[in-house]
Amino acid sequence: MDTIKERRVAKSGIIEEERLFNNLLSSQPLCFNFFGELKNDSVLALRMLQRFYPELTEVRNVIFEFAPKGKYTNDNSAFDVAFEVMAGDKKGLVGIECKYTDAFSLKEYDREEYRGIYNESKNAFLAPYKDFVASRFNQLFRNQLIGEALIQNKECDFVLTGLFCHQNDDIARNTAAEFQNMLRDGKSKFRVITYQDYLETIQQLDISWEL
C-alpha cells in the first residue's frame, strides 16, 4: 500500500490495483513478490544486484512502476521495478522490465519525443530508429528511452536496463537478446535476468532461514 501511495503522489507510473491484488498471472504482482523484500532491505538489494552489476556500491531506493517526473517520453512508459544506485561517486539507475505470462505489447508506439531522445543519444543505438519502434522491440525501446532521457537531463550518470523473465520463456529471451545487440555496449548496458538466476543468487547469499 505504501508503494501505491508513493505512485499517487509522484503521479507517474501506473499501478492497476485490481490487477495487482486479483490477477496473480500478471507481471505486476510477480514484480512485488520477487523484489518486495529488496525494498525493505537495501543491503540485501545491493548484494543481490552486485552479482549482476559488480560495479555497484550502494542501493538507495527500490521503486515499483518507476517513471521520471519529467515525463520525457510523454506516455505511460515505466520500469516495472527500478533501483536507485551508486557506483562510487556516480549516481545511477537499474531499470527492469518484468514478464510472466504476458507477452511484449504488439502495439507500435511512435512519438516525436521518442525520436528526439533517440537522436540526442544516437551513439547509444546501433540500429536505425525504424527498427526500434517496430512492435517486437517497441516496449523495450521505450524503457531504454527513459534511461537515455535521465542521462540527457543529468538526473543520472548512468542507467542500466534489462528484462526479468522465466528461464524457459524463449520468445522473451530471444527478443531481449536481439535488442541487446541493437545497443552499443549492449552486453554491459542491458541484460536478461531469469527467475532461476535470481533465486540461485539469493540462495547463495548469507540470508536468514525465513527468507
Side-chain angles (χ1 to χ4, degrees), residues 29-126:
L30 170 129
C31 185
F32 280 90
N33 288 337
F34 269 107
F35 299 108
E37 287 284 347
L38 304 188
K39 184 172 179 64
N40 295 324
D41 189 337
S42 60
V43 174
L44 176 64
L46 175 63
R47 289 163 63 208
M48 190 282 291
L49 285 178
Q50 283 177 327
R51 294 294 182 100
F52 305 102
Y53 311 100
E55 68 273 23
L56 301 183
T57 55
E58 182 183 356
V59 173
R60 292 189 165 181
N61 198 10
V62 180
I63 305 170
F64 297 96
E65 280 296 314
F66 170 85
K69 293 179 180 178
K71 298 185 183 297
Y72 302 119
T73 54
N74 193 27
D75 61 12
N76 292 323
S77 297
F79 290 116
D80 289 324
V81 61
F83 300 84
E84 293 181 342
V85 297
M86 298 293 294
D89 60 353
K90 302 293 185 182
K91 179 182 178 181
L93 189 87
V94 178
I96 304 294
E97 175 72 22
C98 297
K99 287 297 175 193
Y100 187 23
T101 60
D102 48 337
F104 290 113
S105 171
L106 294 178
K107 185 174 180 179
E108 289 190 13
Y109 294 87
D110 190 2
R111 290 178 176 269
E112 197 175 302
E113 289 84 358
Y114 301 173
R115 190 178 290 274
I117 298 170
Y118 173 87
N119 288 334
E120 186 72 19
S121 293
K122 205 163 187 177
N123 288 338
F125 301 101
L126 298 178

Side-chain angles (χ1 to χ4, degrees), residues 114-183:
Y114 301 173
R115 190 178 290 274
I117 298 170
Y118 173 87
N119 288 334
E120 186 72 19
S121 293
K122 205 163 187 177
N123 288 338
F125 301 101
L126 298 178
Y129 179 80
K130 66 178 179 62
D131 292 353
F132 285 106
V133 293
S135 60
R136 188 174 185 196
F137 303 112
N138 196 281
Q139 192 170 6
L140 293 175
F141 177 53
R142 284 181 281 130
N143 282 354
Q144 196 68 34
L145 291 177
I146 292 175
E148 296 300 330
L150 288 170
I151 295 172
Q152 291 173 15
N153 288 276
K154 303 188 185 308
E155 291 192 44
C156 292
D157 297 306
F158 66 92
V159 175
L160 304 170
T161 59
L163 173 70
F164 182 65
C165 67
H166 194 279
Q167 58 272 12
N168 294 330
D169 188 345
D170 293 334
I171 294 176
R173 294 184 66 183
N174 290 339
T175 299
E178 287 187 50
F179 183 77
Q180 183 185 65
N181 290 330
M182 296 163 69
L183 302 174

Side-chain angles (χ1 to χ4, degrees), residues 11-23:
K11 296 181 179 180
S12 61
I14 297 175
I15 292 182
E16 300 172 22
E17 294 184 44
E18 180 71 19
R19 178 174 169 233
L20 175 62
F21 293 114
N22 296 289
N23 184 359

